[in-house]
Amino acid sequence: MAELSLADELMCSICLEPFKVPVTTPCGHNFCGSCLDETWAVQGAPYLCPQCRAEYQTRPQLHKNTVLCAVVEQFLQAELARVAIPDDWTPPDRAAAPSATSQVACDHCLKAAAIKTCLVCMASFCQEHLRPHLDSPAFRDHPLQPPVPDLLNRKCPQHNRLRDLFCPEHSECICHICLVEHKTCSPVSLSQASADLEAKLKHKLTIMYSQINGASRALEDVRARQQDMRDAAQRKMEQLRQEYLEMKALIDASEASSTRKVKEEEKRVSSKFDNIYQILLKKKSEIQTVKEEIELALTKGDEFEFLEKAAKLQGVSTKSVYVPKVELNHELIRGICQSTTDLKYELKRYVKQPQKPEEPTVSGDATEHGAAPTHKPSRPVKKIVKEEKKAKKLPSTFTSPSKTFTFGASEVLEDLKQTGLEFKATTSQPNSDSLKAKVLETFLAKSRPELLAFS
């Protein structure tokens, strides 16, 4: 049995993914906390362990397995580090910002290209209409910046100011007045926030690329393992077919043997009836001849001739017809039928007997890359192997009044080989006198040619 890999050990058997906030049941199995909560919420009492089916009448109080959580986190980091990414692949760069001077028009004349945007006036101006902001002291406090496209979307809907800051805690763009509401946050400029998020997205894209590669390998592995399972099942079915064919052949041979014995007995008795028939036919013919001669003698008119003929016929004796008792050897027939009936009932009882299925033993390969089954074999593995060996050493035994059959995993076929062809009923042993009487009765029932064989 293949050992389970570390990836399989750190995988939840419910969601088939690495543990997320793992918890441990009293029976020692680990699951994602959310997965187990959903399972037990649907299942209700009694609560069963999804892996070993252990029952709990009251819902156990489960706590986060911090050690296992740390192991899973380190394993995932190590897996990410060892994922082979092609050298020629790099995360795509973010598209460059469009040229503002070629797209932003002056909000005053709506014709010339704007060169600056006033953050107070919330408008963009060309060279000509920007002159008041440059010459008049009244606009000295109006900050100017390169032209900003789509000012309506950049405005803060609450304060009508340009949103030029980003709050990482709330993941939103804010204006300077919004800083009052974000005192505990750490807002940064839009350029810095864009650079940070770009780096994070590239790192996430790398992780997703490795996950896609792992999923592709897992898909191939699942299909390959599915084909191996099908091949193994086909081999087992072919083996079963051969076993049943052999058992059918043994049963057919047993039927032929029993039928042959009955036919031989039938032939023996039938030959006796043929002999009796011929004797009776001859006797009838002789009586018929005497009858005709008597009738002929009674027609004689001459007394001398009649007396001479009648005296001879008077001395001819005839006896009544006697048919001897001839029948089948009922002990033999009964034994054959009883053996067949016993075998039939024992086979029926064995076939109808509910057999406990063996616990599925899943190898470590079967749970690789997210393909773990819902029920994993409980550890240690050596204990399961010992239990299987112990179960194989204890075949089931069935005893009937006239015969004892032993059936195990493959003992049905062996039992048919040893006892199925014979159909000899081992009845309870009679005493010595009755046994001798039965043997003598069977011996005397044989025909004369058969008896001469023992002379």
Side-chain angles (χ1 to χ4, degrees), residues 269-297:
V269 177
S270 179
S271 63
K272 288 187 176 182
F273 278 115
D274 289 339
N275 293 335
I276 294 173
Y277 182 83
Q278 294 297 329
I279 294 173
L280 292 177
L281 185 63
K282 182 179 179 181
K283 190 173 187 61
K284 178 185 175 182
S285 178
E286 293 177 354
I287 296 174
Q288 186 71 28
T289 302
V290 174
K291 169 182 162 294
E292 292 176 355
E293 290 181 356
I294 292 175
E295 291 176 348
L296 182 60

Side-chain angles (χ1 to χ4, degrees), residues 162-173:
L162 190 68
R163 293 183 290 182
D164 54 355
L165 297 174
F166 181 78
C167 177
E169 286 78 2
H170 295 84
S171 299
E172 61 178 356
C173 296

